[in-house]
Amino acid sequence: MGKPVILAVDDDVSVLEAVVQDLRRQYGAIYRVLRAGSGQAALDTSRQLVERGDSVALFLSDQRMPGMSGVEFLEQAQLIYPEAKRALLTAYADTEAAIRAINSAKIHYYLTKPWDPPEERLYPVLDDLLGSWREGYKPPFEGLRVIGPRWSLKDHQVRDFLSRNQVPYVWLDPEQNDEALQLLARYKLDEHKLPAVLFADGSSLAQPSQTELAAKIGLHVTAERDFYDVVIIGAGMAGLAAAVYATSEGLRALLIEPEAPGGQAGSSSRIENYLGFPTGISGAELAKRAFLQASRFGTEFLAQTAIGIRSENNYHFLCLSDGKEISCRVALIAVGVNYRRLNVPGLDEFTGAGVYYGAAMTEAVSCRDEEVFIVGGANSAGQAAMYFAKYARKVTMLVRGDSLVSSMSKYLIDQIAGTSNIAVETKTQVIGASGRQRLESVRILSPEGEGERPANSLFIFIGAAPNTGWLPESIMRDANGFVLSGRDIQVEGRLPKIWTEDRPPFLLETSTPGIFAAGDVRHGSVKRAASAVGEGSISVQFMHQYLARF
């Protein structure tokens, strides 16, 4: 899709050339001027433009043409582009027929030949017609379009990936939008193989994997080198901070992140207690700034998943999901945490089809004028409630504890209390879910007893589980899977046998020398964005101390 089109039609080649030259001289910067030598050719061109999704602003046709007159062409063109302006070029002898056509064929204007000088006899008329057309013209979106049903896990995952990577897109549900079906036909895509992602260059992906989608939107999926000074696994706030300090101090750093920069903080609609932002900042914007800052210093980003790590001769080797291996001198585990699953009968089958973990930024618009249920009472749940309140008719927070005081920052509690369409129900929990193809109701246990509530959307924010199942046993973790570091790796006051150095571990160093941990994944960390940034920043100091020994 490009500029809107002006289509000139005349069977006289010399006249057509003169019309096109005058049109391009005046309107070529804003419109694409096309030509056709007959009414039938113009109709064929118009149909091709429709198939490509182009817009036509004006048809300018000669009246006297063999086979199909100008009036006959404009009548048929109206069916293809009803919003386009239609003007007729006539000889003086045909003016009476042209006047009749204004009513019968709904032609907007007619001009007589010759139109010289165009500054007086052509442009003023066309300026008015094009100005009127632009008042009602909505330029087509030229970015990504995602076509998929709302109640689909795969569709949700694609939209969530694009949203978290701040890639603009328009989402079309084929069950609700006829344009979606038209686009599927135009791109020759199977409506049973959704979601489909349509790109501005005319290409498309059907049911893309995350790696395929990452590569298509311009993310690097293959590392530039085999060896780095430091590899950082996880681009949450801790990983991003470490990347900024590592590369700014001369280390060659690779940052591996399968989803999007920012981690859990990146999905927060608004963070208001982060130093330096008195009016607050969205997690996505904070992550974007950190990403750009690290990129400017030279950090290389890789859209891949680390599935294993091993150490040999003071080097560390990262195994990636694509089967490749990257080596480094030091590594930082900053994979953060995932929202803990709610173990309730019926919930798992509706994940992505009404039940969501996080995802407030992705799904909020879909919940316009609906009632939304949020499970959880910590800051992430409170931030989500405030964001959903802009769209949903009502937001109901289901909190297991007695109040929000022990788990949520006071500024959020005050905001929630002052928002009329947010209700907080304490001592309440979800104990079941039901529906057919999607979530339709949840079963609630409250002080009043059990009850069934109609529900389209349930968003869960109930604490965090570390993403550490891929780590080897040589990297010690606590009973909940959080990585031990520094003094925490001692057992009964002594270092474990797997510790091979003749020195105590550095503050953020794990039980494997040269591998560090920072942020929410680390045992004992404070689950706040500022704390993660601090840990990621100071981890680089310990990396330098470690590297200085060789």
Side-chain angles (χ1 to χ4, degrees):
M1 291 177 286
K3 301 175 183 177
V5 171
I6 296 175
L7 179 58
V9 190
D10 201 312
D11 66 308
D12 188 320
V13 175
S14 60
V15 173
L16 182 60
E17 180 63 27
V19 171
V20 168
Q21 285 186 5
D22 286 342
L23 291 174
R24 285 179 175 166
R25 184 168 61 249
Q26 181 72 4
Y27 305 110
I30 301 175
Y31 298 90
R32 186 156 51 107
V33 179
L34 302 181
R35 70 183 76 195
S38 68
Q40 187 58 54
L43 289 175
D44 292 341
T45 298
S46 299
R47 294 187 182 102
Q48 292 171 8
L49 292 171
V50 167
E51 290 178 1
R52 293 203 299 261
D54 289 313
S55 299
V56 173
L58 172 69
F59 292 108
L60 179 60
S61 175
D62 183 52
Q63 165 62 4
R64 289 192 179 185
M65 294 186 295
M68 182 183 297
S69 70
V71 170
E72 291 170 337
F73 160 68
L74 292 175
E75 285 179 325
Q76 294 190 47
Q78 180 187 4
L79 301 176
I80 303 173
Y81 280 101
E83 303 302 323
K85 298 301 179 181
R86 297 173 293 281
L88 195 66
L89 270 176
T90 70
Y92 182 77
D94 296 324
T95 55
E96 186 175 343
I99 292 172
R100 288 197 304 269
I102 289 177
N103 293 323
S104 62
K106 297 182 180 179
I107 292 171
H108 296 101
Y109 210 89
Y110 76 92
L111 302 103
T112 56
K113 301 177 184 178
W115 59 87
D116 291 327
E119 290 78 10
E120 296 179 10
R121 303 185 61 184
L122 180 66
Y123 298 151
V125 172
L126 299 189
D127 286 347
D128 286 345
L129 291 176
L130 293 171
S132 175
W133 177 82
R134 292 196 74 87
E135 288 179 2
Y137 171 61
K138 184 179 180 180
F141 179 76
E142 296 191 3
L144 273 68
R145 285 170 289 185
V146 177
I147 299 177
R150 175 181 176 184
W151 311 111
S152 162
L153 176 58
K154 290 182 178 179
D155 177 74
H156 164 71
Q157 289 172 336
V158 165
R159 291 188 289 115
D160 192 51
F161 180 78
L162 293 173
S163 297
R164 296 192 63 192
N165 280 283
Q166 300 188 50
V167 177
Y169 68 91
V170 166
W171 172 55
L172 301 171
D173 185 344
E175 297 176 0
Q176 305 290 333
N177 193 302
D178 290 339
E179 183 185 355
L181 298 176
Q182 295 168 7
L183 287 168
L184 290 175
R186 183 190 305 166
Y187 280 77
K188 297 179 173 59
L189 294 169
D190 187 344
E191 62 180 282
H192 301 293
K193 295 182 179 179
L194 299 178
V197 184
L198 314 182
F199 300 89
D201 62 2
S203 62
S204 63
L205 290 174
Q207 296 183 336
S209 68
Q210 193 164 289
T211 300
E212 289 175 326
L213 191 54
K216 186 64 178 178
I217 65 175
L219 301 181
H220 290 173
V221 295
T222 303
E224 296 177 2
R225 300 184 177 95
D226 295 327
F227 174 78
Y228 295 84
D229 295 322
V230 56
V231 172
I232 302 163
I233 308 105
M237 302 313 297
L240 288 167
V244 168
Y245 279 88
T247 49
S248 67
E249 294 176 12
L251 297 177
R252 287 183 302 177
L254 175 70
L255 182 54
I256 300 174
E257 171 56 54
E259 295 182 359
Q264 276 198 334
S267 64
S268 295
S269 56
R270 195 149 201 86
I271 302 173
E272 297 194 47
N273 58 354
Y274 192 85
L275 185 67
F277 295 92
T279 59
I281 184 172
S282 73
E285 179 62 23
L286 186 62
K288 178 181 178 180
R289 295 185 184 198
F291 176 85
L292 293 174
Q293 191 174 16
S295 299
R296 184 171 66 86
F297 283 124
T299 299
E300 181 186 338
F301 289 84
L302 184 64
Q304 282 285 355
T305 301
I307 60 173
I309 184 170
R310 62 183 178 86
S311 302
E312 185 178 325
N313 297 326
N314 296 318
Y315 290 92
H316 308 291
F317 301 85
L318 271 295
C319 182
L320 305 179
S321 56
D322 64 357
K324 296 181 180 179
E325 201 170 62
I326 302 295
S327 60
C328 59
R329 295 297 301 273
V330 292
L332 176 68
I333 301 169
V335 291
V337 293
N338 297 322
Y339 287 111
R340 196 178 299 279
R341 294 277 169 170
L342 183 59
N343 187 20
V344 167
L347 276 192
D348 285 349
E349 63 183 286
F350 299 121
T351 300
V355 175
Y356 306 95
Y357 291 86
M361 299 287 283
T362 303
E363 297 294 335
V365 177
S366 303
C367 299
R368 189 181 299 276
D369 300 325
E370 298 178 357
E371 181 173 3
V372 168
F373 290 88
I374 294 177
V375 179
N379 276 11
S380 56
Q383 290 162 350
M386 292 299 301
Y387 190 71
F388 275 116
K390 300 176 184 178
Y391 301 93
R393 174 175 52 83
K394 182 180 180 181
V395 179
T396 301
M397 298 186 67
L398 306 175
V399 182
R400 190 169 185 172
D402 295 341
S403 72
L404 297 173
V405 174
S406 62
S407 57
M408 187 179 293
S409 298
K410 186 177 184 302
Y411 80 91
L412 268 176
I413 295 175
D414 293 341
Q415 288 180 356
I416 289 169
T419 305
S420 60
N421 63 333
I422 298 180
V424 180
E425 299 184 17
T426 57
K427 299 181 181 178
T428 302
Q429 55 187 305
V430 176
I431 59 173
S434 60
R436 285 164 290 186
Q437 301 300 316
R438 61 179 179 85
L439 179 71
E440 295 177 356
S441 67
V442 292
R443 190 155 189 81
I444 304 293
L445 177 62
S446 69
E448 287 74 36
E450 292 187 18
E452 197 86 9
R453 304 272 190 94
N456 287 332
S457 301
L458 180 72
F459 294 85
I460 301 170
F461 303 81
I462 58 166
N467 181 22
T468 57
W470 59 279
L471 294 175
E473 292 183 0
S474 57
I475 297 178
M476 296 172 60
R477 283 152 281 172
D478 66 15
N480 294 316
F482 291 92
V483 177
L484 299 172
S485 61
R487 293 183 179 180
D488 290 330
I489 69 173
Q490 295 182 4
V491 179
E492 296 181 353
R494 296 183 180 182
L495 290 171
K497 292 182 179 180
I498 58 174
W499 180 256
T500 58
E501 295 284 300
D502 58 358
R503 60 171 178 84
F506 296 118
L507 180 62
L508 300 178
E509 195 170 18
T510 71
S511 52
T512 298
I515 299 180
F516 299 82
D520 291 357
V521 74
R522 191 181 65 81
H523 168 82
S525 67
V526 178
K527 304 300 186 284
R528 291 288 186 270
S531 175
V533 169
E535 290 189 15
S537 302
I538 65 171
S539 70
V540 178
Q541 172 190 346
F542 301 122
M543 293 177 192
H544 281 299
Q545 292 181 31
Y546 174 82
L547 291 171
R549 298 169 60 87
F550 299 97

